[in-house]
Amino acid sequence: MLNRKSIIGSLMVLAMAGTATARAEEVLRFATWDTDESLAIQQEIAKKFEEKHPGVKVQVEPYADGYDQKLIAAFGAGNPPDVMYMWNFPQYYTSLKPLDDLIAKDAAEIKPDDFPQGLMNTVRVEGKTYGMPSGFTTQVVFYNKDMFAKAGVEEPKDGWTWDDLRAKAAKFRDEPNKVYGFAVDAKPDPYDFEQFLWSNGTKYISDDGKKIDGYMNSDAAAQVLDMFADMAKTQEAITLNLGDDTSGS
């Protein structure tokens, strides 16, 4: 299942301590943020699991809007679900069951090559595995070959830097083209936007999830924000809502 967004390319399905293995007549609670078609698929998967494990009931709990707040409330009340989607699992990992023994037990079904190592690294804390990636988002840049040809601008290629992109984007403003060479999302999702900070050697927050100073407010982060602001001021780029299509790249 692919998530709506991803901060570091992965989602977590996590098991709470002491509840990962179903017993006869046990109810397993699964919390999800999905709705509509995705929720229906998960409910169907739950039914198939129940068919394969008689006596076990999977209770799908669609938290939908306010998912994180509802999950926090469940933890605070001491009544969290058994298995869940989770973004910020490092904040809760001391309450979660490490999955390494379960993964080893199911080695025949869960092979090391089934999941990219980079994704698995994101679900480990202090050397222990607390989640399994269920999806990731690949970031790409689309460009219009016809517009590049018409403007006489070289097409993107491997090794391009932001300076290269900006130089080419500026050419789209020359006569007779007068179009924008790059489009920037006017309301970028924070999980997607962090990739630009990564590309400049920084990120939103420290690895332990506790420090912002020196990360979000670093010179490297400011450089990224200034770059996009400058691109808009010089008309190298236009800010758009997703779905618009008036840019060259």
Side-chain angles (χ1 to χ4, degrees):
M1 296 173 289
L2 290 180
N3 68 316
R4 55 192 185 207
K5 298 290 182 184
S6 169
I7 179 172
I8 44 183
S10 65
L11 291 175
M12 321 305 166
V13 179
L14 301 161
M16 295 304 299
T19 61
T21 303
R23 297 180 294 275
E25 306 302 326
E26 185 173 10
V27 175
L28 290 179
R29 297 169 55 206
F30 166 57
T32 175
W33 50 51
D34 283 321
T35 58
D36 303 326
E37 183 180 356
S38 295
L39 175 61
I41 293 173
Q42 292 163 12
Q43 291 170 331
E44 187 62 29
I45 292 173
K47 290 180 182 178
K48 292 183 180 298
F49 183 90
E50 291 171 348
E51 293 171 359
K52 191 174 181 179
H53 300 85
V56 178
K57 172 67 176 178
V58 179
Q59 181 174 300
V60 180
E61 301 179 2
Y63 288 8
D65 292 339
Y67 182 88
D68 292 330
Q69 290 76 15
K70 293 174 183 177
L71 193 59
I72 290 171
F75 272 94
N79 187 36
D82 300 297
V83 182
M84 71 210 74
Y85 282 144
M86 185 179 288
W87 292 104
N88 191 20
F89 79 96
Q91 182 175 349
Y92 307 98
Y93 81 94
T94 56
S95 299
L96 303 176
K97 180 181 180 65
L99 303 180
D100 301 278
D101 290 344
L102 297 175
I103 293 173
K105 182 179 178 181
D106 292 332
E109 288 76 26
I110 304 177
K111 300 178 176 60
D113 293 340
D114 288 345
F115 298 93
Q117 191 59 43
L119 293 184
M120 291 304 299
N121 289 341
T122 69
V123 298
R124 295 191 176 106
V125 177
E126 297 179 353
K128 295 182 179 180
T129 306
Y130 289 93
M132 297 297 291
S134 67
F136 63 95
T137 301
T138 299
Q139 304 293 339
V140 298
V141 174
F142 293 95
Y143 69 95
N144 188 316
K145 288 189 174 184
D146 291 340
M147 291 178 70
F148 270 78
K150 181 179 179 181
V153 178
E154 178 187 12
E155 292 186 13
K157 60 183 179 181
D158 290 343
W160 262 31
T161 65
W162 279 106
D163 288 340
D164 293 325
L165 184 146
R166 294 186 64 176
K168 300 298 188 296
K171 292 184 177 181
F172 281 88
R173 299 300 295 164
D174 296 340
E175 296 287 355
N177 302 300
K178 298 299 289 184
V179 296
Y180 289 94
F182 189 71
V184 179
D185 188 2
K187 297 180 179 180
D189 186 291
Y191 294 104
D192 285 343
F193 190 81
E194 191 176 19
Q195 64 178 312
F196 302 122
L197 272 66
W198 294 340
S199 72
N200 205 36
T202 189
K203 50 193 170 184
Y204 288 143
I205 198 167
S206 60
D207 289 338
D208 60 10
K210 298 179 180 179
K211 297 179 182 178
I212 294 178
D213 190 42
Y215 296 88
M216 174 70 83
N217 63 350
S218 66
D219 290 341
Q223 289 170 2
V224 172
L225 297 174
D226 287 344
M227 178 188 71
F228 283 113
D230 288 343
M231 290 176 71
K233 290 178 182 178
T234 59
Q235 297 188 346
E236 298 163 30
I238 184 175
T239 55
L240 298 174
N241 291 317
L242 292 179
D244 291 338
D245 185 16
T246 59
S247 64
S249 63

